[in-house]
Amino acid sequence: MSSTTTGDARGRLAGLVDGVPVARGVALVGIGLTLGAFLSVLHEILVITGDPESLYYVVGGAVLSGTVLARLIRPRTAATIGIVGIAAGMYLYVTSLPGGFGFLALLKPMLGDAVALLSGLSVLRIVNADVWALAAAPAPVFLAWYLAVRRRYVAASGVAGAGLGLVVLTGDATTTTTLVGVLGVTLSVAFGDCDRRGERLRNADGVVVVLATMVVLTLFVGVVPGAAGSFVSTDGIGSETSTVESSLVYAGDSLAVAGSVELSPGVRYTVEAEESAYWRVSTYDRYTGGGWVRTGERRNYRGPLPEPPGRTRALRQTYTAETAIATLPAANKPTAIRDVPVPVQVTAAGSFQPASPLQAGESYEVISERPTAGAAELQAAGTEYPDGIERRYTQLPASTPDRVGERTARLTANADNPYDTARVVERYLENNYEYSLDVDRPSGNVADRFLFGMDAGYCTYFATTMVTMLRTQGIPARFAVGYTPGQQVADDEWVVRGYNSHAWVEVYFPEQGWVKFDPTPSTPRERAERQRLAAAREDGAPAVDTNDSGDSELDSGTPEPTATPTDDGSAPSPGNDSGSAGPTPGGDETAGGSGGDGPTVPAVPLPSREQAGFGLVVLAGLAAVGRRTGADRRLYRELWLRRLPDGPPEAVVTGAFHRVVHLEERAGRERAPGETARAFLAHSDERARRLGELHERARYGHGVDEADAAEAADLLADLLEERSRLPHRLKKPDTGSR
């Protein structure tokens, strides 16, 4: 290769490193960060609701189209394409809804849902969230990338930021995601301006200051709007211990599986009914891997609800609140509610929700139609599920490990129908796992970790795992929460306490409706409740008894069967809590640990990726501030003053001399070009003049020795003691000969 060619290559490389292309690259990276933050939220939604693979093709096509069309069409045409893309996405989403465009007739509810989305309604709560996520992706990606390629960075940032802003307003974007997007916009606008003006990158160092300021403000103030991270976490919800009741019946529209919990003995309701039941509060249909989300919107109660299919038996219940409480329990399946002192709303799954809390002493009445099908009818129910039921209640996150389905298939290999499959899974969990309130919330998919990595848990873990196992076999199932029957104090009266809050499973059978299954071992759970009540009574805790319950032992009366009736209609025999044959819990995965009797050395906690990223941005910001203000040079000089170079005596003496020159210049004297050391230091301190003499001897005379180097270091230390505002601990020079 000729020297000319080599020189040209070096010139092009230099231009790439320090010229316009680098600014352009950083600006494009900024747009990519903002789009990536937006798409990461959509990706998480698709991971939870189904398969995210389609998103990859949609995004790839949008980026490719934006890159190609940036050279072929004008921005106005591209904007038109973007608008058409948004309209097409809306069309696809609306047609995927139950009833299709019949939904458009409900213009007011549609507008209400739109407002709700923009004020914190998670996308996960809307019907067909996967279709919404796919429909929302292509238009912003195409238009933002098209504008970025055409160097219209402000407009591109606006489009990408609008997409991110939407998921911020819905509450689905975490603080970290939002911050990444904001950083991307800032980088794109600032470095894009450098690109358009043809300026060097050093002129954009003020941007780094802005970035660091934003990071610091976010760390200490946390005011990113809407970025609360509403996704039900797959890594737990914190270390604080809550009660079973607060983590279940008061969870709201999303429920995260917690770690250790406690039991609350306070009385909540008195229930009058002809027979006991599980008093259901709500159900959840969308599993996130770390918790549950209730999809669909609530509507005002305007009259009786549809009855379930199949044979039913009416059950009238009267609930009296014993304290202020914000739930409306009802046995499955409620069809009517009466005499409620507060407005009532109905969830999409048919549960009642009060618009405001009930006060102590207030009561209401519920009519429920309870399914009465026996085992034979449920075994013969078949698998002809309605499309809406099958799609909604067999959903699993794409991240669910295959081994969950594989184990379920092995366990239920001899089951010929969904009912027998559900019974096998219910008994397996009940007989092979212990009941415990003191558990560490596992990371990752809760059902997978409970099935393979834990040997104990409480109702949330059992119910979550059973629903997941059934869904891997294509059986519609959902997660239900509410209260167990409670303490029976009369033939038709029960006292329900906070610790009666519970989670169980409901399985759908064609022509029969939803049927309850409970995989949580009942005996140890009831034992824990009795112990908690006894302790509360002994401590004199208030509001743990009514007039009828205070003098009697805890008695659940005739409990509702833990599953559906057997062929003859009798209650099934309880499972053996001591275990049964079958795979050992956690048998597919051994827990790590360490042996020995030595002391445990605590591990040094490593920063998370977010913390490391924040730290790098802050450091970069500090560096930029230092460069702009000159603080970096001043700091360097202060450090330089206090450390002589290691090496032979000549280097030590020369280093001390240069530091004395710096001290003199800082005092207001400036050394002229060509001025000798003797002339410059002629009117200085005697110690400075002596250092000048040692420097002349080292450079022009017969040299210096270790004693001269030590003298130079001592003289410099004395001068620093007088003239420096900072400690002057001067390192003793290493004057070893070379």
Side-chain angles (χ1 to χ4, degrees), residues 496-559:
V496 179
R497 294 178 173 84
Y499 60 55
N500 292 125
S501 53
H502 191 51
W504 60 92
V505 178
E506 292 183 352
V507 181
Y508 186 84
F509 295 91
E511 304 303 326
Q512 300 297 335
W514 293 99
V515 177
K516 176 183 67 64
F517 290 78
D518 190 353
T520 305
S522 59
T523 301
R525 175 176 57 81
E526 292 169 357
R527 184 186 306 119
E529 292 173 356
R530 287 194 294 269
Q531 292 172 348
R532 181 68 183 93
L533 179 59
R537 286 172 171 172
E538 184 177 349
D539 294 340
V544 298
D545 280 305
T546 64
N547 294 333
D548 296 324
S549 69
D551 298 328
S552 61
E553 297 295 328
L554 179 63
D555 180 13
S556 296
T558 303

Side-chain angles (χ1 to χ4, degrees), residues 143-344:
L143 192 54
W145 194 250
Y146 165 89
L147 292 168
V149 172
R150 290 183 66 95
R151 297 186 175 181
R152 296 178 177 245
Y153 301 110
V154 174
S157 299
V159 173
L164 177 61
L166 176 61
V167 292
V168 168
L169 291 174
T170 65
D172 292 308
T174 64
T175 300
T176 300
T177 301
T178 306
L179 179 60
V180 169
V182 173
L183 297 182
V185 169
T186 308
L187 285 173
S188 176
V189 172
F191 285 92
D193 185 60
C194 285
D195 177 31
R196 293 178 64 88
R197 295 174 179 270
E199 296 178 349
R200 295 179 180 272
L201 290 182
R202 67 185 61 175
N203 295 324
D205 60 357
V207 177
V208 184
V209 177
V210 176
L211 297 183
T213 302
M214 289 191 301
V215 171
V216 172
L217 288 176
T218 303
L219 287 173
F220 290 98
V221 181
V223 294
V224 179
S230 67
F231 281 131
V232 180
S233 171
T234 59
D235 295 319
I237 60 173
S239 59
E240 294 184 3
T241 301
S242 61
T243 63
V244 178
E245 187 178 27
S246 65
S247 64
L248 290 179
V249 298
Y250 296 129
D253 294 320
S254 63
L255 181 153
V257 177
S260 296
V261 292
E262 297 176 348
L263 297 176
S264 173
V267 174
R268 300 293 182 249
Y269 292 98
T270 299
V271 184
E272 298 178 28
E274 294 180 355
E275 60 186 41
S276 66
Y278 276 31
W279 320 116
R280 191 179 70 190
V281 170
S282 185
T283 61
Y284 294 86
D285 55 297
R286 179 161 287 159
Y287 179 48
T288 68
W292 293 91
V293 174
R294 181 171 59 228
T295 66
E297 280 300 288
R298 293 191 293 262
R299 60 179 177 82
N300 293 331
Y301 175 75
R302 293 187 177 89
L305 305 179
E307 296 183 3
R311 294 188 293 111
T312 62
R313 178 176 65 253
L315 177 64
R316 186 186 305 271
Q317 314 127 66
T318 300
Y319 297 83
T320 301
E322 299 294 339
T323 184
I325 193 164
T327 57
L328 293 175
N332 183 44
K333 162 135 179 338
T335 58
I337 187 169
R338 303 169 181 166
D339 303 326
V340 192
V342 297
V344 177

Side-chain angles (χ1 to χ4, degrees), residues 660-679:
V660 167
V661 171
H662 175 70
L663 288 175
E664 293 292 324
E665 290 179 337
R666 196 167 67 178
R669 300 188 62 238
E670 184 175 354
R671 187 178 183 184
E675 187 177 12
T676 65
R678 186 184 297 272

Side-chain angles (χ1 to χ4, degrees), residues 14-24 199-201:
L16 181 63
V17 172
D18 197 35
V20 174
V22 177
R24 176 173 172 78
E199 296 178 349
R200 295 179 180 272
L201 290 182

Side-chain angles (χ1 to χ4, degrees), residues 57 61 108 169 211 230 240 249 316 393 429 460 487 546 581 605 633 693 707 711 730:
Y57 297 107
K108 184 177 179 180
L169 291 174
L211 297 183
S230 67
E240 294 184 3
V249 298
R316 186 186 305 271
Y393 293 103
L429 294 174
T460 312
Q487 178 187 0
T546 64
R633 294 186 294 274
E693 294 173 2
E711 181 186 1
L730 199 65

Side-chain angles (χ1 to χ4, degrees), residues 241 259-262 435-441 454 456-458:
T241 301
S260 296
V261 292
E262 297 176 348
Y435 179 83
S436 175
L437 298 169
D438 186 15
V439 297
D440 292 328
R441 198 285 188 189
M454 300 175 66
Y458 50 92

